[in-house]
Amino acid sequence: MPLGEPFGWCGLCAASLCHPCGRTHLCTPDCPANGCQAGFCVREVRGARISETWGLPPE
């Protein structure tokens, strides 16, 4: 089932994510060991536009 806007988009995984899942998203299990922050690779899609800001807005 497609997500309604707004939603998160991870360009590295080519995945659409709801906001709660997007805020905790890590691309691979190695991400935490590499210093990646959960959700930082996700940007918000709203009004058919992708945000220039990395990460999703807080709840």
Side-chain angles (χ1 to χ4, degrees), residues 9-43:
W9 175 254
C10 177
L12 299 170
C13 295
S16 300
L17 305 156
C18 65
H19 277 183
C21 291
R23 287 185 190 100
T24 61
H25 178 69
L26 292 166
C27 294
T28 70
D30 295 330
C31 287
N34 293 332
C36 298
Q37 295 178 348
F40 192 70
C41 56
V42 179
R43 297 191 285 171

